[in-house]
Amino acid sequence: MVFANRHQAAERLATALASYKGQHPLILAIPRGAVPMGQLLARALEGELDVVLVRKLRAPFNPEFAIGSIDESGWTYVSDYAESVGGTPTYLAQERQVQLDVIKKRRAQYTPLRPPIDPAGRTVIVVDDGLATGATMISALHALRDKKPARLICAVPVAPADTVEKIRPYADEVVCLSTPMSFQAVGLFYTDFPQVDDAEVEAILKQA
């Protein structure tokens, strides 16, 4: 399945999640690409939009490849293959601090006048525009589980089947529209997949 753009992917996710309409779900988007999708989902499901801030830990010499992830509290997930691709303890400590600094900067940018919306007791839907390794989603779900949501859902348009299975223990429900057998990058499953910049994220969150 190839999506025309993030808008179409979000519309299809909204259809798959239609049973949550009327429950005032909290839609938490992983910046930056998923934020426009989260906006559409929040409107379609009559929910509330915010962001969950997590960052991947990048492999040495290959910044697109995740070897782990970190959440806003500093909790870190490290993949079992990290060391085999150069993720030594020293490197991971440095990368962890770099990404934590980015998270702090984004929180100050994105929601400067209010704290994150409390997910306690609520139906929470975490959305991303796709998963490759699933590392950032794992950190997002782990961070949110500690905050005691009533129900925690992962919603993505596309991901490898083995990544979906890796995610399942962290969520009450995983909604994934497509699990292609051949998977190289999320962007290959979109006809139009532009970068989303900080200004667009800030504008969407101000509207929300």
Side-chain angles (χ1 to χ4, degrees):
M1 181 185 295
V2 175
F3 302 95
N5 48 39
R6 289 185 180 92
H7 184 91
Q8 183 191 66
E11 286 181 332
R12 293 183 180 178
L13 277 176
T15 299
L17 294 161
S19 62
Y20 294 105
K21 185 174 181 177
Q23 298 184 28
H24 192 54
L26 175 59
I27 312 300
L28 294 179
I30 297 179
R32 291 181 295 228
V35 176
M37 296 177 62
Q39 181 184 41
L40 190 152
L41 275 176
R43 288 173 178 169
L45 301 179
E46 300 174 358
E48 192 173 12
L49 174 67
D50 203 354
V51 288
V52 54
L53 297 182
V54 289
R55 293 282 294 176
K56 70 181 176 185
L57 302 178
R58 305 164 299 175
F61 315 113
N62 187 0
E64 295 304 312
F65 184 58
I67 57 173
S69 55
I70 186 168
D71 71 16
E72 200 164 0
S73 74
W75 180 84
T76 304
Y77 163 77
V78 178
S79 68
D80 53 10
Y81 53 78
E83 194 162 0
S84 68
V85 295
T88 63
T90 300
Y91 172 83
L92 285 169
Q94 294 170 343
E95 176 67 359
R96 179 181 180 276
Q97 190 57 54
V98 167
Q99 299 307 332
L100 197 54
D101 289 345
V102 173
I103 288 174
K104 290 177 180 176
K105 178 183 175 184
R106 285 189 170 178
R107 178 56 72 189
Q109 280 181 283
Y110 293 166
T111 57
L113 302 178
R114 63 168 177 83
I117 297 172
D118 187 2
R122 298 188 63 174
T123 295
V124 175
I125 301 172
V126 186
V127 61
D128 205 352
D129 51 20
L131 305 178
T133 67
T136 51
M137 182 60 75
I138 286 173
S139 277
L141 295 170
H142 179 275
L144 291 162
R145 182 65 78 191
D146 283 349
K147 296 176 181 178
K148 306 293 189 291
R151 187 164 180 80
L152 185 57
I153 301 132
C154 163
V156 293
V158 62
D162 60 343
T163 295
V164 171
E165 293 310 309
K166 191 191 303 182
I167 292 294
R168 287 195 193 282
Y170 296 89
D172 298 309
E173 181 182 353
V174 178
V175 175
C176 181
L177 304 179
S178 177
T179 53
M181 292 186 66
S182 177
F183 192 101
Q184 292 179 306
V186 170
L188 296 179
F189 296 94
Y190 289 83
T191 302
D192 185 27
F193 194 65
Q195 291 286 332
V196 175
D197 61 23
D198 284 328
E200 184 175 353
V201 171
E202 290 168 37
I204 289 171
L205 292 175
K206 282 178 183 176
Q207 291 174 27

